[in-house]
Amino acid sequence: MKDISLRGTLALLLFLACLSQLIFTADSIRGAKEKRRRQESRGDDNIAVLKGKFTKDKARCSWLARGEDSYTMTVTCRRGNGDGFTCKYTAKPATCTEYGSNPEGYWKQIVRSIKKQKKLCADFRALIRAGMCKRAPLDAHFKLTGTSQAKPHKTGNGKTPITTNTTLPDNKRQCTERIDHSEIAKEKCGDSWGNLCNFLFTMIQSGDC
């Protein structure tokens, strides 16, 4: 009877130790996620943001570039009738030696090149080039990576339908990145307690969504 009681006590202690480890791990994961969310909402001070406006083919256009080493530039154009398009270009300006000594001149040349594009947001082979970077790698120039076009149409009642954004909110996207609880449970608790620990760990982490 003493042996049975001793084994039961040891099993209970092992379970409690495993449970405390799971709680600690879950708290660490929550802390890391909260830190990442705060950083995303606050923004990174190292990320540069440049923007401007121009007119092309009777359309009002704007561009916005964000990045540090690699930049993503979003170009949006709208006409008076509501037609328009949006696209994204990417580049690594730092691969151009001249950029380091004259970044302002680089962006002026990029904007000038945007205005001269014959098929803006339509030609995936055409690069938006900076003249000062003729000898630089192709990465120094902006390349088209994606584009979308909006053409408003009227319904039977004469009203233009509202366009909806199908992009999932940030919190929903984060919920799709679920951690494999079973692997963590086996690592922390062993095979014998894995199923129980997996169940407990799932309950602990379910509040993230």
Side-chain angles (χ1 to χ4, degrees):
M1 292 296 292
K2 290 183 179 181
D3 291 340
I4 296 175
S5 177
L6 180 60
R7 285 196 296 269
T9 301
L10 291 175
L12 179 60
L13 291 175
L14 179 62
F15 169 74
L16 293 176
C18 181
L19 181 61
S20 63
Q21 181 65 36
L22 286 174
I23 294 174
F24 174 78
T25 303
D27 288 341
S28 299
I29 294 173
R30 281 201 191 98
K33 286 186 176 181
E34 287 299 324
K35 183 178 180 181
R36 184 178 64 184
R37 289 171 185 170
R38 287 195 299 268
Q39 289 176 343
E40 289 176 350
S41 62
R42 185 173 60 247
D44 191 340
D45 294 336
N46 294 326
I47 295 179
V49 179
L50 302 99
K51 59 183 178 179
K53 297 180 180 181
F54 62 97
T55 301
K56 183 175 177 62
D57 299 332
K58 298 181 180 181
R60 295 181 178 181
C61 304
S62 64
W63 64 273
L64 186 148
R66 290 175 57 91
E68 185 177 358
D69 176 37
S70 177
Y71 278 78
T72 297
M73 180 170 61
T74 303
V75 178
T76 302
C77 291
R78 290 284 184 270
R79 296 185 178 86
N81 61 359
D83 287 358
F85 55 84
T86 300
C87 63
K88 293 184 183 295
Y89 289 85
T90 59
K92 294 182 178 180
T95 59
C96 173
T97 305
E98 290 76 6
Y99 171 80
S101 58
N102 188 12
E104 184 176 350
Y106 172 89
W107 287 108
K108 285 182 178 180
Q109 292 181 2
I110 289 295
V111 174
R112 196 176 301 129
S113 180
I114 292 175
K115 296 177 180 179
K116 291 181 179 179
Q117 290 291 311
K118 295 181 179 180
K119 296 181 180 180
L120 184 63
C121 293
D123 191 349
F124 282 87
R125 295 175 298 178
L127 296 177
I128 296 180
R129 298 177 178 271
M132 66 168 62
C133 301
K134 292 180 179 179
R135 298 181 180 180
L138 293 179
D139 286 346
H141 310 285
F142 279 88
K143 180 179 180 181
L144 181 63
T145 58
T147 183
S148 61
Q149 192 169 10
K151 284 187 174 295
H153 59 281
K154 293 185 177 181
T155 58
N157 57 11
K159 295 182 179 180
T160 301
I162 300 174
T163 303
T164 57
N165 189 351
T166 57
T167 304
L168 290 174
D170 290 339
N171 62 331
K172 294 298 183 182
R173 287 200 300 268
Q174 290 172 354
C175 290
T176 62
E177 301 173 0
R178 305 296 293 179
I179 295 176
D180 190 343
H181 301 140
S182 60
E183 293 297 327
I184 295 178
K186 289 181 180 179
E187 179 183 346
K188 301 298 182 181
C189 303
D191 293 335
S192 58
W193 292 88
N195 291 335
L196 179 58
C197 291
N198 181 30
F199 171 74
L200 293 172
F201 192 79
T202 302
M203 292 182 61
I204 293 171
Q205 200 186 13
S206 61
D208 290 346
C209 290

